[in-house]
Amino acid sequence: MPDILHKVGIKSASSSDVYEALTTIEGLSAWWTTTTQGDNNIGGVLQFRFGNGGFDMKVLELDPARRVLWQVVDGPEEWIGTKISFDLDQRDDRTIVLFKHAGWKESVEFTHHCSTKWAVFLLSLKSLLETGKGAPWPNEIKLDSWE
Amino acid sequence: MPDILHKVGIKSASSSDVYEALTTIEGLSAWWTTTTQGDNNIGGVLQFRFGNGGFDMKVLELDPARRVLWQVVDGPEEWIGTKISFDLDQRDDRTIVLFKHAGWKESVEFTHHCSTKWAVFLLSLKSLLETGKGAPWPNEIKLDSWE
């Protein structure tokens, strides 16, 4: 089963700062999609919308300043049941984010698409924390005509 | 074995335009690293340098406007023997690039790093063709302190 892996190092950001951007509606809205809502507690479901489509994520783990784990409970067929994790490690004044989107059943063109799209949004997270300004949907870099 | 997968759609670019950026020293220097040299023919070896380190790639396949395949013959231990492919598909006025870096023996932090770094450079390729200006090394987005 192919996993999508990424890493961003975020300068002048504590792991607590990054954790907040990954776990609050305000934070998530500022780097992933402006239309984020839902229950951000363990067992709650977050709704991320991108125009007509989107993802519902159940919050499985919250380890403050260290780890966030979600499971996709609604969205594109290829995503349902997959798990998304963010592991944080503060090194000096930088926080390293190790990202994994695990559980894809097979590699299809949509896997390629989502991998690069995750990079686009993780670079938006980095920008948000380093400069105060992210590029969440609908202002992120588009990869294809159907976006 | 984990593969790194990516996709970028490049607007107002033919697959021949993209192929040229992937197969000429001038093109590669404008989106990946300014210090690119070597033999860009089948069986030749391209040298990509990023300051002290870098990669040597043997050109295995060249299918004009459709596909490029390299194999890493020198560089970081994790990369040696791995294969990197670019498959091109022109759809209307856009060219879709499906990228694969295959043959990683295991997923380590460096795999995460290289996955996001490939996205950074593929977005530079997209920018080069869409705007005339890429962001090759040393001007690309940095992810960690050791870059």
Side-chain angles (χ1 to χ4, degrees), chain A residues 48-63:
Chain A
F48 301 96
R49 292 292 176 274
F50 304 80
N52 292 327
F55 315 108
D56 287 1
M57 306 280 192
K58 186 171 181 178
V59 181
L60 296 189
E61 291 181 36
L62 291 174
D63 186 353

Side-chain angles (χ1 to χ4, degrees), chain A residues 79-136:
Chain A
W79 279 49
I80 294 180
T82 60
K83 291 183 181 176
I84 290 156
S85 58
F86 302 84
D87 284 282
L88 312 181
D89 185 14
Q90 190 174 331
R91 301 176 190 168
D92 299 323
D93 76 331
R94 190 181 307 253
T95 292
I96 300 293
V97 181
L98 292 183
F99 170 92
K100 185 191 282 193
H101 185 174
W104 287 76
K105 291 187 184 68
E106 57 180 341
S107 290
V108 292
E109 180 174 321
F110 191 50
T111 323
H112 289 250
H113 179 89
C114 294
S115 176
T116 312
K117 208 72 201 188
W118 273 123
V120 164
F121 287 116
L122 290 163
L123 294 170
S124 166
L125 169 69
K126 175 178 167 71
S127 176
L128 173 66
L129 287 153
E130 291 182 352
T131 73
K133 188 166 167 55

Side-chain angles (χ1 to χ4, degrees), chain A residues 59-72:
Chain A
V59 181
L60 296 189
E61 291 181 36
L62 291 174
D63 186 353
R66 296 191 57 178
R67 179 172 162 86
V68 174
L69 176 67
W70 300 328
Q71 184 162 34
V72 181

Side-chain angles (χ1 to χ4, degrees), chain B residues 27-80:
Chain B
L28 291 162
S29 300
W31 66 269
W32 197 16
T33 171
T34 52
T35 41
T36 299
Q37 59 178 22
D39 177 358
N40 63 345
N41 296 295
I42 290 180
V45 174
L46 290 162
Q47 287 101 29
F48 300 96
R49 292 294 176 272
F50 305 80
N52 293 326
F55 315 107
D56 287 2
M57 307 279 192
K58 185 171 182 179
V59 181
L60 296 189
E61 290 181 36
L62 290 175
D63 187 353
R66 296 190 55 179
R67 178 173 163 86
V68 174
L69 176 67
W70 300 327
Q71 185 163 33
V72 181
V73 293
D74 202 2
E77 187 188 342
E78 297 90 338
W79 279 49
I80 294 181

Side-chain angles (χ1 to χ4, degrees), chain B residues 10-18 90-96 129-130:
Chain B
I10 305 179
K11 282 181 288 190
S12 307
S14 70
S15 54
S16 297
D17 295 336
V18 179
Q90 190 174 331
R91 301 177 191 168
D92 299 322
D93 77 332
R94 189 181 309 252
T95 293
I96 301 292
L129 286 153
E130 291 182 351

Side-chain angles (χ1 to χ4, degrees), chain A residues 5-7 91 115-116 144, chain B residues 5-7 109 115-116 144:
Chain A
L5 307 177
H6 285 297
K7 165 189 153 182
R91 301 176 190 168
S115 176
T116 312
D144 210 334
Chain B
L5 307 176
H6 285 297
K7 165 187 152 183
E109 181 175 318
S115 176
T116 312
D144 210 333

